[in-house]
Amino acid sequence: MRNIALKMSYVGTAYHGWQTQKNGATVQEVLESALAAVVGHPVRCIGAGRTDAGVHASVYVANFQTESTIPCSRLPLAVNTRLPGDIVVQKATEVSPDFNAIGSCLKKEYTYQIFNSRIRDPFYVDRVWFYPKKLDAEVMAAAAAEFTGTHDFAAVRSVGTETRSTVRTVHYFQVERREDLILCRVCANGFLYNMVRAMVGTLVYVSDGKLSPADIPGILERGNRTAAGPTAPACGLYMTGLWYDEEVF
């Protein structure tokens, strides 16, 4: 039995997230259907994370088991002919039997995009958070720095997914302005449900003067979700980086 890892990317607008569910199309079920048609048997994929409805991935990893002998070099083209245009398999690699796309992941990076202009851009529809009020990226960066380190992040998560602990380590949280586009890039050993979107909403609150960077440590210490900023819309969030011990790609 071979264990195959897939490097992928997808636009999440049309999907109810990665994970298969009853109430709508998901990336996982569409991918599994395409893979099954190629390898000739039912396929169960393990994904690197459970992205929410409307969230995108410029980098994503999934793995599956197969007895098929199709070379990895041929898999991407064969699968892509059976996938819609908003999901793409870029590369396939045979990995060790115990490799698991989520369990073997050491850290992840998400990037949140805000289009900060008085006039919206039609090419960014469902790809960014359109925010017409002027934002101060430098103040947002100062607030983002307060999230780095190991903390209890209960104050910036939504209820919905049970977890043993709300303690995570944020390795970096960077904010950069590129003309009208503000990029909020955060890397951690793991993320809670809606954690990135809640942190970005908090940064916007800081820019708007509703909070200050100095308020962030106290918000985290108290663990009160209502003290932080709102949950930013899903459309601006992208998975952009994944790290593993094993050289997958």
Side-chain angles (χ1 to χ4, degrees):
M1 185 72 74
R2 302 163 71 202
N3 190 14
I4 307 295
L6 303 175
K7 182 182 180 183
M8 306 170 50
S9 57
Y10 57 83
V11 175
T13 306
Y15 303 99
H16 287 247
W18 159 262
Q19 188 169 322
T20 298
Q21 50 190 281
K22 297 178 181 179
N23 64 344
T26 66
V27 178
Q28 181 182 12
E29 66 178 324
V30 172
L31 175 64
E32 288 175 350
S33 177
L35 284 169
V38 171
V39 301
H41 63 78
V43 168
R44 178 67 174 175
C45 290
I46 299 171
R50 182 181 175 179
T51 56
D52 295 330
V55 173
H56 319 291
S58 58
V59 175
Y60 196 85
V61 173
N63 71 288
F64 71 100
Q65 306 280 333
T66 183
E67 294 180 348
S68 170
T69 59
I70 297 175
C72 286
S73 60
R74 291 175 53 191
L75 266 175
L77 287 176
V79 176
N80 286 335
T81 60
R82 294 165 171 82
L83 287 172
D86 49 11
I87 303 175
V88 174
V89 173
Q90 299 161 334
K91 191 173 182 179
T93 303
E94 188 163 351
V95 290
S96 60
D98 60 347
F99 176 86
N100 180 295
I102 189 167
S104 303
C105 188
L106 303 175
K107 57 184 180 178
K108 303 174 184 179
E109 181 192 80
Y110 283 93
T111 301
Y112 195 95
Q113 297 193 158
I114 303 172
F115 188 64
N116 189 213
S117 171
R118 292 182 61 192
I119 306 298
R120 66 181 182 273
D121 186 330
F123 293 101
Y124 280 138
V125 172
D126 294 326
R127 303 291 190 277
V128 298
W129 180 11
F130 171 55
Y131 198 87
K133 184 179 178 181
K134 185 70 173 180
L135 292 172
D136 187 331
E138 292 186 4
V139 170
M140 293 171 68
E146 298 294 336
F147 284 110
T148 61
T150 301
H151 308 284
D152 187 329
F153 285 94
V156 283
R157 74 144 179 176
S158 298
V159 176
T161 302
E162 292 300 319
T163 182
R164 294 178 182 177
S165 172
T166 52
V167 174
R168 297 290 186 272
T169 298
V170 172
H171 300 293
Y172 57 78
F173 195 177
Q174 303 163 344
V175 179
E176 174 189 5
R177 177 181 281 277
R178 296 180 184 174
E179 298 183 348
D180 290 332
L181 198 63
I182 294 177
L183 304 177
C184 304
R185 187 174 294 107
V186 57
C187 174
N189 63 347
F191 291 92
L192 303 170
Y193 183 49
N194 282 343
M195 177 174 157
V196 177
R197 291 164 59 190
M199 290 194 296
V200 170
T202 303
L203 300 189
V204 169
Y205 257 28
V206 169
S207 180
D208 285 347
K210 298 174 182 177
L211 293 169
S212 75
D215 293 327
I216 304 301
I219 290 172
L220 293 177
E221 185 176 350
R222 292 191 298 274
N224 184 352
R225 178 67 188 91
T226 60
T231 301
C235 59
L237 185 60
Y238 296 73
M239 181 176 280
T240 51
L242 294 163
W243 285 263
Y244 298 91
D245 270 339
E246 184 169 347
E247 188 172 340
V248 183
F249 301 105

